[in-house]
Amino acid sequence: MAQGNQGGRPKQPSLSQLRAFVAVAEYLHFRDAAAAIGMSQPALSGAVSALEEALGVQLIERTTRKVLLSPAGERLAVRARAVLEAVGELMEEAEAVRAPFTGVLRLGVIPTVAPYLLPTVLRLVHERYPELDLQVHEEQTSSLLEGLAAGRLDLLLLAVPLGVPGVTELPLFDEDFVLVMEQDHWLGGRADIPREALRELPLLLLDEGHCLRDQALDICREAGRTEGAPVTTTAAGLSTLVQLVAGGLGVTLLPRTAVTVETGRNDALATGYFAEPAPSRRVALGMRTGAARHEEFEEFAAALREAMRALPVRVTDGP
């Protein structure tokens, strides 16, 4: 029986030793096992002996007529197979990582982007990157940034600028804001609304935490709206916001990509467009600065820009 490293810890076995032992355990024949894994018979026998020496247990009972597994060999053969299978899975995963646009991509998206851009994103992934397992998480900006920093998310689709250290922005497009109001509103249908019109209008905004709320308030401040002007904040999403407008509670601002979806089936609503330069927002991908997949993400951003040219936006030229 192999004595091993008596008085100390067993030596670490090598993968080639484990592979040789598993082959012998399967074929119970040294010549057949050696042929199966492409080793010479002496090399195979030496590898099994070295494994016994490293582990300090006898794995094989050798006779002139046949090969048998010892009780220890029976038990350890199961473990050895599991180790080799795990190593194989590790190599497959590494191959997937090396190959761009394969494996899992965890994409975080803000609520004021998700319903309007995801159809374009999903179509692009389906047609161009069929091996990519895209997993979408819709959350507010603060939660998305926390998820990106913690490694829970790989890439973000959101409004910028963020001004967050450690996050690199890959701009996709700029889009104008549109004023949404009741059908008979005096500003309905106009294409030259001055920003100053926002000073006194009863404005409906999203709840705290939505970046679109902050952007709308910035636009209002730029237009000279005073802090005391009425702002009703009762909506958790754009669909609810638009219904409140249709009910006569005020007006609101929608990003251009959301207008058709949110107002197209409601005859009680009208839209108006601002005079140039219209208030707008920029949408981008956000990734961890120095991310291992940065080249893949930059290529993805370029593909998204092309796919989004059909939308009512101004596609950027890149970073």
Side-chain angles (χ1 to χ4, degrees):
M1 178 177 178
Q3 297 300 310
N5 185 16
Q6 295 183 351
R9 298 180 62 186
K11 298 177 182 177
Q12 289 285 344
S14 69
L15 290 177
S16 62
Q17 291 169 359
L18 293 176
R19 197 170 290 113
F21 169 52
V22 167
V24 172
E26 180 178 352
Y27 290 94
L28 295 177
H29 195 287
F30 276 89
R31 185 178 65 244
D32 293 347
I37 63 174
M39 291 180 72
S40 68
Q41 189 171 330
L44 179 83
S45 180
V48 173
S49 296
L51 179 62
E52 291 178 316
E53 180 69 23
L55 297 178
V57 295
Q58 183 177 349
L59 302 171
I60 305 293
E61 295 180 6
R62 300 167 178 85
T63 71
T64 56
R65 294 185 178 180
K66 58 184 176 180
V67 174
L68 297 175
L69 292 180
S70 69
E74 293 278 3
R75 293 177 58 184
L76 295 180
V78 176
R79 296 288 188 182
R81 289 190 189 96
V83 169
L84 293 177
E85 289 174 1
V87 171
E89 292 171 357
L90 174 67
M91 298 303 293
E92 290 176 2
E93 187 67 22
E95 178 65 26
V97 170
R98 288 196 300 271
F101 302 107
T102 60
V104 175
L105 174 60
R106 299 163 298 181
L107 177 68
V109 191
I110 57 175
T112 59
V113 161
Y116 321 112
L117 299 187
L118 278 180
T120 300
V121 174
L122 297 176
R123 190 180 309 112
L124 172 68
V125 171
H126 176 73
E127 295 176 355
R128 187 176 297 193
Y129 311 117
E131 299 301 316
L132 188 65
D133 180 10
L134 183 66
Q135 299 177 1
V136 177
H137 302 262
E138 183 181 356
E139 302 169 22
Q140 292 186 10
T141 300
S142 59
S143 178
L144 293 181
L145 290 172
E146 291 172 1
L148 186 69
R152 177 174 61 83
L153 299 172
D154 303 309
L155 197 61
L156 308 182
L157 180 58
L158 71 180
V160 296
L162 299 169
V164 177
V167 177
T168 296
E169 299 170 8
L170 303 174
L172 298 176
F173 62 82
D174 297 318
E175 65 174 328
D176 292 342
F177 283 102
V178 177
L179 190 65
V180 179
M181 64 212 86
E182 287 184 278
Q183 181 61 46
D184 58 354
H185 196 281
W186 64 281
L187 290 174
R190 289 182 55 176
D192 60 348
I193 300 173
R195 294 194 190 200
E196 292 73 20
L198 294 172
R199 290 177 180 175
E200 303 299 332
L201 291 174
L203 189 64
L204 304 175
L205 298 178
L206 291 174
D207 290 337
E208 295 282 355
H210 289 274
C211 62
L212 186 58
R213 172 193 170 90
D214 297 330
Q215 292 164 341
L217 288 174
D218 287 341
I219 294 168
C220 291
R221 279 190 287 269
E222 292 172 4
R225 188 183 181 97
T226 63
E227 294 295 330
V231 174
T232 304
T233 307
T234 55
L238 292 184
S239 295
T240 302
L241 204 60
V242 168
Q243 292 304 314
L244 295 176
V245 173
L249 297 185
V251 303
T252 195
L253 294 169
L254 289 186
R256 184 76 182 270
T257 52
V259 171
T260 299
V261 173
E262 299 298 348
T263 69
R265 295 188 298 270
N266 195 328
D267 294 335
L269 295 170
T271 56
Y273 296 87
F274 290 92
E276 295 294 338
S280 64
R281 73 171 180 177
R282 171 161 289 190
V283 173
L285 291 178
M287 66 177 180
R288 286 184 295 275
T289 301
R293 301 170 70 181
H294 70 93
E295 293 182 357
E296 178 182 347
F297 294 160
E298 289 168 359
E299 182 180 338
F300 187 53
L304 276 177
R305 291 186 195 103
E306 290 305 310
M308 290 175 175
R309 290 190 183 279
L311 301 177
V313 300
R314 296 183 297 279
V315 174
T316 67
D317 294 329

